[in-house]
Amino acid sequence: MEQAVYSLCFMCSIRCPIRVMVEDGRVKWIQGNENVGAMGSSLCPRGSAGISLLYDKERLQYPLIRTGPRGSGQWRRASWEEALDMAGEKLRQIIAAHGGHSVALTERAQLSTHVSKTFLKAIGSPNHFTHDALCKGSANTACRSLFGVTDGEMGVDLANSRHVVLYGRNLFESIEVKPVRGLINALAKGAKLTYIDPRVTVSATKAHRYWMIRPGTDLALNYALMHVIIKEKLYDAAFVDRWVEGFQDLRKFVQHYTPEWADRETGIPATEIVELAREMSAVKPNCAFHYGYRAAHHTNEIYVRRSILMLNALLGCLEAPGAVFFKKGPGAVGRKPARKLTEQKFPKIEVPRCDKVGTPDFPLPDPAHGVPQMLPHAILNQDPYPIKALLVYRFEPLMSIPDKQLTQKALDALDLIVTIDVNHSDIAWYSDIVLPESIYLERLDCVQQLNSLSPQMFLRHQAVTPRYDTLEGPMILKALGERIGIGEYFPYESVEDLVRWQLEPTGFRLEDFAEKGFVSYTSEKLFWDRSEGMKFKTPSGKIEFRSSLLENAGFESFPTYESMSSPPEPDQFRLITGRQALHTHVSTQNNMYLNEITPENEIWLNRGRAERLGIRNHDLVRVSSSRGSGTIRAFVTDLIHPEAAFMLHGFGRDSKLATRSYQRGVSDSLLQESITDMVGGSPALHHTFVTVTPV
Ligand SMILES: Nc1nc2c(c(=O)[nH]1)N[C@H]1C(S)=C(S)[C@@H](COP(=O)(O)OP(=O)(O)OC[C@H]3O[C@@H](n4cnc5c(=O)[nH]c(N)nc54)[C@H](O)[C@@H]3O)O[C@H]1N2
Ligand SMILES: Nc1nc2c(c(=O)[nH]1)N[C@H]1C(S)=C(S)[C@@H](COP(=O)(O)OP(=O)(O)OC[C@H]3O[C@@H](n4cnc5c(=O)[nH]c(N)nc54)[C@H](O)[C@@H]3O)O[C@H]1N2
Ligand code: SF4
Ligand SMILES: [Mo]
């Protein structure tokens, strides 16, 4: 008999609500959860391809212990007992000799992050890293500098917007299903879309206005937009007067940043910049400059993200339909969120983070996430202390941290690498012990607290039982914890126990999620009162254009614009990267369905420049940087700015056990230099110039 199970997708980290159709213990079909209005039955292609992950023989099936040198691919199958005993014994020895802080854990933030954070807190290590800084660390810091809250506590009401401006937020390919549907609905109702990217993406083709900006110059564009908005008095004077700290400083600062100046820097005509400022002002406050998702491009990234957010503040585009909003939790309706294991009491941690976040050397990035691209440097320099063991949980240091060879060198210096994954990833290939997790369709997961305009909770229900000898992450961490004497911090016997414990203070029960997959604390949309009830968490209680967070740490609120350099040689390009609709970062390249459609990446080159180098469409070319090189096919096109070369992220794999993706295409992390926005925390992934030559 066919049965519907409401759950959460995990083909990428967006976690869209899904309905899984199961018959005789087999998954037949996956679609969006139609009970979630904003979602409907829609799914993206990766979500649909979940079935081919479930039935893939090339995923991890049982624990593995390495028998040859690292990266040699020599393995033996192990029982859970043996693999966990061995990992536990080695960890115990390392902690006894070097302290708990010599253990680091890297993870893509997920529903059981509170479990892995608990593990590290219990051993006295501050070195828990999420992916956050690599994705959008500087957006996080920018939001805290202006509003006192992180970007994770903010959202954009796309569905009700009258004009949306996207800066390389390629929403129609770098997908989150609910916002995509929201934006499509808004466009159908007559909203306008302005899209800015050095490359013509699918999102560009849906826009009313598209600007092929010179790479890395968005900050110049925004300074000019502010100049026009202030000069022509297009801003929301009452809102700015009541809520903005430092408006007069901004007015003085942007005086010289005229549209004509920005035209020369960005390549966008001055008249069009003026036009956009006027158009946005005409529909304020029901419009939004989207502050972006992936804010990991250049060393000035925090100021780019601040400038986007400041444009919203100038037009009063906060807490209005169609604008930027602040997420409301259960507290807004007098209720409680789901509990987390991290709410327990832990021993005090006496050492700083190994990436130095939170110290005077690196004061501003979010210590709740850390800055993973600093980890290889910390390991190699043994500064501030030696790191000896790395636990990897749903994260790919080799592919997702720039400068792959540097990361590999750092891994070589470790005594222990244990990876919890579902795929034969490159980091699994390079580990000592591999612990396979049951995939999302096979497991119940910790509670998803979804704060938004209306707070809700979602649950990832188990759709089918595990096909192979795999376990859920929280059970793996508990079993490992028991082996090193911290078992008391994991007071549950099953994930169901843990979920029930999490739900205790909320007033909801596990059973309440069965019918629709989620529960709502309220059906109302909660907006703050824009005239008197805004609740900014900055020291001034206002939006800090002049930022106390930045200035107390010795950084400027309004730094002078520095021109973005052009590639110096005729065969050089600025390497820019991104995604497409068919793949998730580094997770899906070996997925049978998705690999069939996009088996490898290509390098996009501007036609005029490629012709001058003697490169034709589909030619093989050599691409090299100061960090590494590879051979890849060229996509020669008019659809990219002459200074840029674009590659999809996630290809160029080393694991021979993932046969479909092995050595297909080139990894961007192999080419990228490890350079960081030392104020905001993001890596400058688009800082690197590459040389492209015909093969
Ligand atoms: N060079 C470069 N680096 C980047 C980026 C880039 O464009 N270029 N993008 C950045 C961005 S935006 C992000 S968000 C990060 C993402 O960085 P990552 O988190 O490293 O990437 P993912 O592809 O999301 O997943 C990583 C690993 O999780 C495994 N995995 C998938 N599902 C499960 C599961 O259910 N359980 C377990 N245990 N493992 C699972 C996958 O097999 C994969 O090995 O990378 C950042 N780093
Ligand atoms: N299909 C798919 N969807 C996803 C994901 C996925 O892996 N696959 N991952 C999810 C995650 S974690 C994230 S962070 C988001 C990422 O979503 P996006 O932020 O939309 O990120 P990217 O796909 O990396 O797109 C980056 C775009 O920025 C452009 N760009 C490069 N340089 C510049 C510049 O100087 N200025 C401007 N304005 N644009 C520039 C690039 O050409 C590229 O099109 O997508 C989410 N959705
Ligand atoms: S965007 Fe696609 S892959 Fe990501 S969670 Fe949603 S349906 Fe799944
Ligand atoms: Mo991301």
Side-chain angles (χ1 to χ4, degrees):
M1 211 186 65
E2 208 176 47
Q3 189 203 351
V5 181
Y6 290 107
S7 191
L8 291 173
C9 182
F10 206 34
M11 290 300 285
C12 86
S13 299
I14 304 300
R15 299 191 285 267
C16 294
I18 50 175
R19 181 172 79 161
V20 185
M21 299 310 296
V22 181
E23 196 179 325
D24 301 328
R26 285 186 73 85
V27 173
K28 294 287 178 190
W29 180 249
I30 308 174
Q31 64 176 57
N33 179 345
E34 71 286 356
N35 298 308
V36 180
M39 181 81 195
S41 55
S42 307
L43 214 56
C44 90
R46 299 162 297 147
S48 305
I51 296 183
S52 71
L53 171 63
L54 179 62
Y55 297 112
D56 191 352
K57 290 205 174 65
E58 289 200 4
R59 69 166 154 118
L60 292 172
Q61 300 187 10
Y62 37 76
L64 292 168
I65 292 176
R66 188 168 54 73
T67 55
R70 276 195 187 136
S72 64
Q74 289 162 273
W75 300 99
R76 68 183 167 81
R77 180 177 181 163
S79 68
W80 276 99
E81 282 303 301
E82 188 193 4
L84 287 165
D85 284 350
M86 183 186 275
E89 179 54 27
K90 291 200 167 168
L91 265 182
R92 262 189 344 95
Q93 285 170 8
I94 289 169
I95 293 170
H98 305 280
H101 55 274
S102 67
V103 180
L105 185 148
T106 53
E107 159 178 42
R108 173 74 161 92
Q110 52 172 330
L111 298 177
S112 43
T113 295
H114 69 118
V115 185
S116 58
K117 282 196 166 175
T118 295
F119 192 96
L120 282 211
K121 282 176 188 286
I123 59 172
S125 172
N127 298 316
H128 183 280
F129 292 83
T130 78
H131 75 294
D132 193 80
L134 291 162
C135 171
K136 58 190 176 56
S138 296
N140 175 327
T141 311
C143 290
R144 283 182 287 123
S145 78
L146 286 159
F147 308 114
V149 300
T150 68
D151 62 309
E153 297 165 86
M154 300 174 62
V156 184
D157 183 20
L158 293 170
N160 297 299
S161 204
R162 296 179 63 192
H163 194 151
V164 177
V165 180
L166 299 174
Y167 298 80
R169 177 65 190 96
N170 182 13
L171 194 60
F172 292 117
E173 289 180 275
S174 299
I175 297 174
E176 298 171 70
V177 175
K178 279 193 263 178
V180 167
R181 280 175 52 106
L183 184 56
I184 287 174
N185 289 341
L187 294 175
K189 284 188 285 180
K192 280 198 156 182
L193 178 63
T194 294
Y195 185 79
I196 305 159
D197 195 316
R199 188 170 70 94
V200 181
T201 61
V202 170
S203 307
T205 66
K206 311 276 182 223
H208 298 83
R209 175 189 286 110
Y210 165 64
W211 286 336
M212 186 180 279
I213 193 168
R214 190 168 78 82
T217 62
D218 299 66
L219 184 57
L221 166 65
N222 287 347
Y223 282 168
L225 283 167
M226 292 181 196
H227 172 101
V228 178
I229 287 170
I230 295 175
K231 186 171 158 210
E232 297 194 4
K233 294 198 166 41
L234 298 171
Y235 55 94
D236 181 337
F239 187 87
V240 167
D241 205 38
R242 174 66 185 88
W243 294 116
V244 171
E245 182 78 21
F247 174 69
Q248 292 308 335
D249 298 306
L250 179 74
R251 175 198 292 274
K252 226 190 281 156
F253 174 72
V254 294
Q255 236 168 24
H256 305 291
Y257 294 118
T258 62
E260 292 71 25
W261 164 83
D263 182 338
R264 289 189 294 277
E265 178 68 6
T266 63
I268 300 169
T271 49
E272 293 187 31
I273 296 174
V274 175
E275 231 172 67
L276 177 64
R278 290 177 186 162
E279 275 180 33
M280 289 297 276
S281 178
V283 292
K284 70 176 183 298
N286 308 111
C287 55
F289 295 87
H290 199 303
Y291 47 87
Y293 207 139
R294 191 175 136 231
H297 294 169
H298 298 283
T299 49
N300 65 0
E301 203 59 43
I302 181 169
Y303 295 106
V304 176
R305 301 300 142 180
R306 268 174 61 85
S307 67
I308 299 173
L309 293 157
M310 285 156 77
L311 282 164
N312 288 299
L314 283 173
L315 298 187
C317 300
L318 290 168
E319 289 294 291
V324 174
F325 63 84
F326 296 87
K327 293 181 181 171
K328 315 300 182 303
V333 287
R335 302 276 295 273
K336 290 239 158 50
R339 264 204 301 227
K340 292 183 170 172
L341 285 177
T342 40
E343 290 165 23
Q344 302 174 92
K345 277 220 164 7
F346 297 95
K348 192 167 182 297
I349 294 178
E350 306 287 352
V351 293
R353 292 186 56 93
C354 72
D355 55 8
K356 301 191 180 166
V357 167
T359 74
D361 286 342
F362 207 14
L364 295 189
D366 192 341
H369 294 286
V371 174
Q373 72 271 21
M374 292 302 175
L375 182 58
H377 301 280
I379 295 172
L380 287 168
N381 300 332
Q382 305 208 357
D383 175 22
Y385 43 75
I387 296 289
K388 294 289 177 184
L390 181 65
L391 306 179
V392 178
Y393 185 14
R394 205 207 170 292
F395 178 76
E396 239 298 10
L398 285 164
M399 305 289 294
S400 307
I401 293 179
D403 198 346
K404 183 174 180 174
Q405 295 195 62
L406 183 84
T407 306
Q408 196 155 334
K409 212 165 132 198
L411 295 180
D412 287 339
L414 294 172
D415 292 347
L416 178 68
I417 309 171
V418 178
T419 290
I420 304 173
D421 206 313
V422 296
N423 289 309
H424 284 289
S425 56
D426 283 6
I427 185 62
W429 181 253
Y430 217 68
S431 295
D432 306 328
I433 299 171
V434 180
L435 304 175
E437 185 166 32
S438 309
I439 76 155
Y440 68 104
L441 294 165
E442 301 170 320
R443 67 181 196 244
L444 173 69
D445 226 320
C446 294
V447 177
Q448 154 133 319
Q449 186 77 50
L450 193 76
N451 296 342
S452 188
L453 282 171
S454 313
Q456 295 176 310
M457 281 188 293
F458 283 75
L459 212 52
R460 174 173 291 132
H461 283 116
Q462 184 190 44
V464 289
T465 51
R467 285 180 64 71
Y468 303 118
D469 187 15
T470 58
L471 288 174
E472 309 99 321
M475 298 312 291
I476 298 174
L477 289 166
K478 174 184 163 73
L480 199 53
E482 283 166 350
R483 281 161 171 83
I484 60 168
I486 54 166
E488 84 241 38
Y489 291 98
F490 305 92
Y492 50 86
E493 295 306 318
S494 64
V495 178
E496 184 178 325
D497 266 1
L498 177 55
V499 169
R500 288 193 188 279
W501 176 85
Q502 285 197 279
L503 289 174
E504 268 169 25
T506 67
F508 294 105
R509 296 164 313 141
L510 179 62
E511 290 69 23
D512 298 335
F513 293 79
E515 194 190 347
K516 292 183 178 171
F518 67 95
V519 294
S520 301
Y521 287 91
T522 172
S523 54
E524 268 175 73
K525 282 190 174 181
L526 307 170
F527 285 108
W528 292 335
D529 170 13
R530 284 162 43 84
S531 52
E532 280 310 319
M534 302 294 273
K535 299 185 176 99
F536 303 117
K537 292 193 185 146
T538 48
S540 62
K542 293 191 172 185
I543 304 169
E544 295 194 353
F545 284 8
R546 180 167 281 291
S547 161
S548 50
L549 187 79
L550 290 177
E551 296 192 2
N552 290 341
F555 301 114
E556 290 177 273
S557 296
F558 309 104
T560 306
Y561 182 80
E562 284 179 32
S563 180
M564 192 54 69
S565 55
S566 298
E569 303 295 335
D571 56 357
Q572 280 191 327
F573 298 81
R574 183 177 291 284
L575 181 67
I576 63 175
T577 64
R579 296 142 241 296
Q580 50 128 257
L582 285 152
H583 282 295
T584 294
H585 302 290
V586 304
S587 291
T588 56
Q589 282 69 19
N590 203 54
N591 180 290
M592 244 174 314
Y593 292 171
L594 302 171
N595 178 279
E596 193 178 313
I597 309 174
T598 306
E600 62 185 40
N601 59 353
E602 300 173 322
I603 190 159
W604 292 37
L605 297 173
N606 173 273
R607 184 183 308 282
R609 292 211 52 207
E611 276 170 5
R612 262 170 267 145
L613 297 172
I615 296 169
R616 286 161 310 169
N617 200 20
H618 297 310
D619 278 357
L620 275 176
V621 295
R622 187 93 193 137
V623 53
S624 47
S625 73
S626 66
R627 313 314 306 154
S629 64
T631 302
I632 185 170
R633 235 166 252 293
F635 172 53
V636 174
T637 173
D638 296 320
L639 305 181
I640 186 163
H641 191 283
E643 288 190 6
F646 172 83
M647 272 169 62
L648 282 179
H649 168 53
F651 290 85
R653 313 296 284 259
D654 292 336
S655 174
K656 291 183 183 163
L657 293 171
T659 61
R660 304 171 204 113
S661 55
Y662 176 60
Q663 290 194 340
R664 302 294 299 268
V666 171
S667 165
D668 60 342
S669 72
L670 183 69
L671 300 165
Q672 287 158 338
E673 296 159 19
S674 178
I675 291 170
T676 292
D677 165 2
M678 290 302 291
V679 187
S682 283
L685 292 179
H686 296 180
H687 183 87
T688 306
F689 290 131
V690 289
T691 303
V692 182
T693 45
V695 171

